[in-house]
Amino acid sequence: SCARRKMNLKSERRGIHVDQSELLCKKGCGYYGNPAWQGFCSKCWREEYHKARQKQIQEDWELAERLQREEEEAYASSQSTQGAQSLTFSKFEEKKTNEKTRKVTTVKKFFTASSRAGAKKEIQEAKAPSPSIHRQASIETDRVSKEFIEFIRTYQKPGQDIYKQCKLFLDTMSHKRDLSIEEQSECAQDFYQNVADRLQTRWKVPPEKVEKAMDEVEKYIMTRQYKYVFCPETTDDEKKDLAVQKRIRALHWVTPQMLCVPVSEEIPEVSDMVVKAITDIIEMDSKRVPRDKLACITKCSKHIFNAIKITKNEPASADDFLPTLIYIVLKGNPPRLQSNIQYITRFCNPSRLMTGEDGYYFTNLTAMYYNILYSVAFIEKLDAQSLNLSQEDFDRFMTGQTSPKKQESDSFSPDVCLGVKQMCKSLDLLSQLNERQERIVSEAKKLEKDLIDWTEGITKEVEDIVEKYPLEIKPKSQALAAIDSENVENDKLPPPLQPQVYAG
């Protein structure tokens, strides 16, 4: 019955599977989507976001007009003067215009020509270098700045324009620290789009050089903005980081066999690939540029594909990749996973997230991350059935009562090498020795306690006896005279005997 139960469990197993259509933008544009953008790609998400924002502005505008009409009717009923009405209406018109302009204005206004004195004054003020940026610049930011200057020199006049726009953007953002992180992200995305359009339309730069220039622009501005926009205190990124790490630690017992991971770590080359993949995903947190963090994800994913290919002797499929990626994340437990994914989503050049292998790998990691973050979806994929376990075993593993490794070491498949068998036996022996040592330590502590209790008991008994039979000390009696001492009182004793010598 046990074998039948395992067979039924195996046949009903869902496993870890994500349809590739789920990774694409749900609007059907062909680009990769992102759960952070509600399933849209960056381009479609911005369009939908702007539509929703414009709709909200229009609704606010209609509400204001309705309130104004009610106010005018109230003034008319109170026989207020026409001049006062026109004055009030003109003030309201001015207020409406200012409010609408304030809501729809983005960072684009800094890159468009304007004849208004206010706009010119704002640009002139923005050109002044921010002392805080230079004061807080680190060695890395100085190095990146020098590299960026050397790079833009190769672009000549377009490079000068790029540097000017970057300085203007940084100075502008230094005055926008009070904006929400979403608004700062929108400003950065607008800046990327405007710089790329400027290079293509005004300076006629070839697409490949535009892409290279945008990579350097992203590196320059995000290195300087990193401390302000990565895991800001105004978000709950840190709280989610801790929740994800706690959840991953609770799943430390999950084995590759449970996830149907097609990777054999017994092969030395595959084991090295797994270690490199874990190192890459952990190294992501040490990078400051979104593109560099994205590159760590790409390197990790390539190591995963290579490990699967070596194990199976054939190219890996998407169904092989996702469970292996989940296993790598569970084994590595990378720090600040939420913060890093959000940082890439918010401030990476959107063209990298929408197409290419970088976008594909990041979309897979993001989809996997959101499954981990939202426990309902994650448990739906990593429950007892999907791990080919009974509910009782799953509950014991989750609570730490037992470990699946101890059970798996008793039986080996025929193709397992001798070294692995010996290693498992050694691990079992070490486990038994550890239990024996713990038992000896426990018994030693018990013996120590018994000795202390015995000593205290004997001491108490002696004290009770002494108290019951007190010791009486009698006066000292006169000492007897020694035989060899000079006895003055007994002078009449005969002299001591002398030995007799016989002649013959």
Side-chain angles (χ1 to χ4, degrees), residues 179-197:
L179 294 180
S180 66
I181 194 64
E182 287 76 16
E183 291 174 322
Q184 294 185 54
S185 172
E186 185 181 355
C187 291
Q189 300 298 329
D190 285 339
F191 172 74
Y192 289 142
Q193 186 64 41
N194 281 292
V195 172
D197 293 343

Side-chain angles (χ1 to χ4, degrees), residues 32 211-212 214-215 218 290-292 294-295 298 348-360 362-363:
Y32 292 120
E211 182 178 357
K212 179 64 177 177
M214 293 308 301
D215 289 343
E218 177 188 330
R291 178 171 58 89
D292 294 341
L294 196 60
T298 302
C348 187
N349 188 356
S351 62
R352 283 193 168 273
L353 304 182
M354 294 164 57
T355 58
E357 61 179 8
D358 288 343
Y360 174 78
F362 178 73
T363 304

Side-chain angles (χ1 to χ4, degrees), residues 291-305:
R291 178 171 58 89
D292 294 341
K293 292 180 181 290
L294 196 60
C296 290
I297 298 175
T298 302
K299 289 192 296 183
C300 169
S301 302
K302 287 184 176 180
H303 288 312
I304 290 175
F305 274 109

Side-chain angles (χ1 to χ4, degrees), residues 374-394:
Y374 302 109
S375 58
V376 174
F378 185 63
I379 293 174
E380 188 175 321
K381 293 185 179 297
L382 281 186
D383 55 6
Q385 183 179 358
S386 64
L387 294 175
N388 198 21
L389 298 171
S390 64
Q391 189 62 42
E392 294 78 9
D393 291 340
F394 181 81

Side-chain angles (χ1 to χ4, degrees), residues 197-242:
D197 293 343
R198 196 179 184 91
L199 289 173
Q200 291 177 351
T201 58
R202 179 176 179 180
W203 299 106
K204 308 300 180 183
V205 178
E208 61 276 5
K209 294 191 68 176
V210 172
E211 182 178 357
K212 179 64 177 177
M214 293 308 301
D215 289 343
E216 295 297 326
V217 167
E218 177 188 330
K219 180 179 179 181
Y220 174 65
I221 66 172
M222 294 316 303
T223 301
R224 302 181 72 91
Q225 291 289 308
Y226 179 79
K227 66 174 69 176
Y228 305 111
V229 297
F230 181 81
C231 192
E233 296 179 355
T234 56
T235 64
D236 58 350
D237 291 350
E238 184 177 3
K239 181 179 178 181
K240 291 181 179 179
D241 286 333
L242 297 176

Side-chain angles (χ1 to χ4, degrees), residues 445-469:
K445 290 182 179 180
K446 183 177 180 300
L447 177 61
E448 182 182 8
K449 184 177 182 301
D450 292 342
L451 288 174
I452 294 174
D453 294 341
W454 179 79
T455 303
E456 293 177 352
I458 295 296
T459 303
K460 187 175 184 306
E461 290 179 3
V462 171
E463 291 176 353
D464 293 341
I465 293 174
V466 170
E467 184 179 358
K468 185 176 181 180
Y469 304 101

Side-chain angles (χ1 to χ4, degrees), residues 390-409:
S390 64
Q391 189 62 42
E392 294 78 9
D393 291 340
F394 181 81
D395 293 338
R396 287 202 303 269
F397 295 157
M398 287 296 294
T399 56
Q401 296 178 2
T402 184
S403 172
K405 295 180 180 180
K406 294 182 180 180
Q407 296 179 355
E408 293 175 356
S409 61

Side-chain angles (χ1 to χ4, degrees), residues 219-448:
K219 180 179 179 181
Y220 174 65
I221 66 172
M222 294 316 303
T223 301
R224 302 181 72 91
Q225 291 289 308
Y226 179 79
K227 66 174 69 176
Y228 305 111
V229 297
F230 181 81
C231 192
E233 296 179 355
T234 56
T235 64
D236 58 350
D237 291 350
E238 184 177 3
K239 181 179 178 181
K240 291 181 179 179
D241 286 333
L242 297 176
V244 171
Q245 284 196 327
K246 182 178 179 181
R247 178 63 180 171
I248 291 177
R249 281 197 299 268
L251 292 167
H252 66 90
W253 49 269
V254 176
T255 61
Q257 292 76 18
M258 294 178 180
L259 293 170
C260 287
V261 175
V263 168
S264 177
E265 295 186 66
E266 298 169 5
I267 304 174
E269 190 175 357
V270 173
S271 179
D272 291 341
M273 292 291 179
V274 171
V275 172
K276 290 179 180 178
I278 294 174
T279 303
D280 290 332
I281 200 69
I282 293 176
E283 188 182 4
M284 176 177 62
D285 187 60
S286 65
K287 304 298 182 181
R288 304 183 69 176
V289 183
R291 178 171 58 89
D292 294 341
K293 292 180 181 290
L294 196 60
C296 290
I297 298 175
T298 302
K299 289 192 296 183
C300 169
S301 302
K302 287 184 176 180
H303 288 312
I304 290 175
F305 274 109
N306 290 334
I308 297 173
K309 183 178 180 181
I310 295 172
T311 303
K312 298 180 65 176
N313 289 326
E314 61 182 21
S317 64
D319 291 337
D320 295 332
F321 171 71
L322 186 58
T324 310
L325 177 61
I326 293 176
Y327 173 68
I328 293 298
V329 173
L330 292 179
K331 194 170 183 179
N333 197 358
R336 298 192 292 188
L337 186 59
Q338 152 77 9
S339 297
N340 283 289
I341 290 179
Q342 290 292 348
Y343 178 68
I344 295 172
T345 303
R346 291 165 181 160
F347 297 102
C348 187
N349 188 356
S351 62
R352 283 193 168 273
L353 304 182
M354 294 164 57
T355 58
E357 61 179 8
D358 288 343
Y360 174 78
Y361 297 139
F362 178 73
T363 304
N364 275 278
L365 178 64
T366 307
M368 179 222 61
Y369 162 74
Y370 275 89
N371 284 336
I372 295 177
L373 180 60
Y374 302 109
S375 58
V376 174
F378 185 63
I379 293 174
E380 188 175 321
K381 293 185 179 297
L382 281 186
D383 55 6
Q385 183 179 358
S386 64
L387 294 175
N388 198 21
L389 298 171
S390 64
Q391 189 62 42
E392 294 78 9
D393 291 340
F394 181 81
D395 293 338
R396 287 202 303 269
F397 295 157
M398 287 296 294
T399 56
Q401 296 178 2
T402 184
S403 172
K405 295 180 180 180
K406 294 182 180 180
Q407 296 179 355
E408 293 175 356
S409 61
D410 297 334
S411 59
F412 302 96
S413 59
D415 56 343
V416 175
C417 65
L418 181 62
V420 174
K421 293 181 181 180
Q422 185 63 38
M423 181 186 66
C424 293
K425 291 180 180 179
S426 300
L427 290 175
D428 290 339
L429 181 59
L430 288 174
S431 177
Q432 294 174 8
L433 291 175
N434 186 35
E435 294 177 358
R436 181 180 177 184
Q437 183 181 5
E438 291 178 355
R439 186 168 60 253
I440 291 174
V441 171
S442 177
E443 293 177 355
K445 290 182 179 180
K446 183 177 180 300
L447 177 61
E448 182 182 8

